[in-house]
Amino acid sequence: MKFSTAAIHVGQEPDELTGAVTVPLYQTSTYAQEEIGKHKGWEYARTQNPTRSRWETCLAEMEGGLAAFAFGSGSAAVDAVMRLLNAGDHVIMAEDMYGGTYRLASKVLTRFGLTFSYVDMRNLDNIRAAVQPNTKMIYTETPTNPMMTITDLRGVAAISQEIGAVMVVDNTFASPYFQRPLQLGADIVVHSATKYLGGHSDLVHGIVATRHQHLADDLTFLQNAVGAVPGPLECWLCLRSAKTLHVRMDRHAANAQRIAEWLEQHPSVNAVHYPGLPSHPQHDLAKSQMSGFSGMISVELGSLAKAVQVTKNLKLFCLAESLGGVESLVCHPVSMTHGSVPVEQREKLGITEGLIRLSVGIEDVEDLIEDLANALMH
Ligand code: P1T
């Protein structure tokens, strides 16, 4: 079954009881049991919820995995993956990634005995050089937030297999429509479903998907034992959004490509980071592992003053954290999403005070370009 058909049909068979075409919202905390030890397979809603199960089934298919697990946020999903490890284990993590993931690793998980090496994953030799006898996981994000660097997923998979580590990919920026890391050798995929999967800036949600039964068993246990589960409404909304993911992503990417090309020619713009531009240093690598370049662009304006001016003057691009919704957003990573990354690290990565990040929505692209033209001129 092709992607768009799966997104609309898998896990979404008409309801057995009523024939309802849309999966029902099971807003319940528990399930009646006929007698002690005799029930319909549903016991307690932290453990299982039919709306959640249907969404997890759909998402697993979209990622080409065996199973998927829903969580209360993307950060809770990342945390669940880390709980697969034990105190004393070492993780090689991308140095360029969502600031909140770095914060979780450096400020929370280290307190529980995990150690991290942060490396520039554009060069696979940096990963090899960071391997220790206790390296149990390689954790990457591609394209990265916010510099849009690309990690060679097939290359990382080869290293992970060689050293027997679990390979995890945060696939939030690409979405499963444009990139399926499990099919390129990754063991686990993570999403902030708050972004493209939810797609309408109206929910907070996370996903973990895997292609291995033993990891699925461990994640089933952790999802229930730790309990960072989403409510059924968020799962229902994600199922609603799955049906349009392919059309939304095509429009996000087409709009972003036009805007990135336009920005690249603009005299007030110092640099444009978008994997769909032939000038992106890893454009060919992006092409080899993504079927489209998604809707995120970072733009270097040269100074904080310029970033303040542009973000103030934009009318359609709303100044806000988050991304991946149908409406365009603009964010200032230094003061918003990457505030918890140390200054030296930010400077090394190119996350400057003059950098803004655009989440290109699915509005009419001419209107978006006019908005940017006005804001850049003032
Ligand atoms: O916000 P939450 O749903 O908990 O997801 C965390 C997260 C994980 N991974 C990536 C790549 C992310 O971008 C995020 C959240 N990011 C933002 C809020 C942001 O504006 O970049």
Side-chain angles (χ1 to χ4, degrees):
M1 198 185 285
K2 299 278 197 302
F3 186 90
S4 52
T5 314
I8 292 172
H9 290 282
V10 172
Q12 298 167 84
E13 300 74 22
D15 177 45
E16 272 181 25
L17 190 66
T18 63
V21 168
T22 300
V23 171
L25 173 60
Y26 285 90
Q27 188 75 44
T28 188
S29 62
T30 192
Y31 310 89
Q33 306 197 10
E34 215 172 294
E35 58 184 69
I36 291 175
K38 200 166 169 198
H39 53 73
K40 295 181 163 63
W42 307 94
E43 295 160 273
Y44 183 59
R46 167 162 40 75
T47 322
Q48 321 111 327
N49 176 284
T51 314
R52 190 175 92 204
S53 301
R54 300 274 213 118
W55 160 230
E56 291 169 335
T57 303
C58 176
L59 195 278
E61 181 70 24
M62 285 200 277
E63 281 290 357
L66 183 75
F69 303 87
F71 292 89
S73 68
S75 303
V78 176
D79 181 69
V81 166
M82 293 295 166
R83 285 170 195 263
L84 291 165
L85 300 172
N86 296 306
D89 289 348
H90 172 247
V91 181
I92 302 175
M93 210 171 220
E95 65 175 3
D96 174 17
M97 62 190 326
Y98 171 55
T101 304
Y102 173 77
R103 179 178 56 203
L104 176 65
S106 61
K107 300 232 165 74
V108 181
L109 298 168
T110 47
R111 290 175 26 228
F112 295 90
L114 295 182
T115 54
F116 295 86
S117 297
Y118 304 97
V119 307
D120 178 351
M121 291 203 176
R122 283 174 298 182
N123 182 349
L124 296 177
D125 288 341
N126 294 336
I127 302 179
R128 283 193 201 94
V131 172
Q132 298 177 10
N134 57 339
T135 302
K136 292 288 161 55
M137 184 177 281
I138 303 182
Y139 191 103
T140 186
E141 193 179 287
T142 183
T144 58
N145 181 359
M147 296 311 293
M148 314 298 157
T149 64
I150 307 296
T151 308
D152 174 356
L153 293 176
R154 293 182 184 91
V156 176
I159 299 173
S160 304
Q161 275 154 27
E162 209 176 292
I163 65 168
V166 175
M167 173 179 169
V168 183
V169 180
D170 186 327
N171 200 26
T172 298
F173 269 37
S175 91
Y177 180 62
F178 284 139
Q179 179 170 273
R180 279 184 282 284
L182 297 180
Q183 293 177 354
L184 301 175
D187 302 302
I188 290 179
V189 161
V190 173
H191 280 278
S192 170
T194 313
K195 314 300 183 319
Y196 287 112
L197 291 174
H200 297 72
S201 305
D202 55 8
L203 58 89
V204 174
H205 192 85
I207 282 290
V208 179
T210 182
R211 62 188 171 91
H212 301 290
Q213 189 59 54
H214 69 283
L215 292 175
D217 292 343
D218 291 349
L219 288 161
T220 302
F221 174 79
L222 285 169
Q223 187 191 39
N224 180 52
V226 181
V229 293
L233 176 60
E234 278 69 24
C235 300
W236 187 88
L237 285 166
C238 282
L239 267 175
R240 176 280 318 260
S241 297
K243 297 175 208 286
T244 57
L245 183 67
H246 56 292
V247 282
R248 285 186 285 111
M249 293 314 295
D250 279 337
R251 179 65 89 87
H252 281 296
N255 282 0
Q257 186 73 37
R258 270 283 303 281
I259 289 173
E261 286 168 8
W262 180 85
L263 284 167
E264 210 176 24
Q265 304 303 322
H266 198 285
S268 306
V269 168
N270 293 10
V272 181
H273 307 285
Y274 182 65
L277 288 176
S279 61
H280 187 290
Q282 297 168 295
H283 177 63
D284 289 338
L285 174 60
K287 261 204 303 207
S288 75
Q289 61 187 27
M290 303 175 78
S291 58
F293 306 109
S294 210
M296 299 301 298
I297 306 173
S298 285
V299 187
E300 179 53 60
L301 297 173
S303 69
L304 177 62
K306 192 77 185 167
V308 170
Q309 171 225 307
V310 170
T311 51
K312 247 186 175 168
N313 287 317
L314 282 167
K315 302 229 158 30
L316 291 174
F317 284 84
C318 171
L319 180 63
E321 298 209 19
S322 203
L323 59 109
V326 291
E327 59 289 286
S328 293
L329 302 180
V330 58
C331 143
H332 183 240
V334 162
S335 60
M336 297 161 85
T337 49
H338 290 69
S340 52
V341 177
V343 186
E344 325 78 67
Q345 178 73 0
R346 281 202 312 247
E347 278 168 3
K348 180 179 169 213
L349 298 175
I351 308 174
T352 64
E353 293 194 325
L355 188 83
I356 60 167
R357 189 190 73 184
L358 304 176
S359 171
V360 178
I362 64 169
E363 301 95 332
D364 188 290
V365 72
E366 302 295 341
D367 288 335
L368 296 178
I369 289 177
E370 194 183 315
D371 196 28
L372 287 162
N374 279 332
L376 284 163
M377 199 169 62
H378 282 94

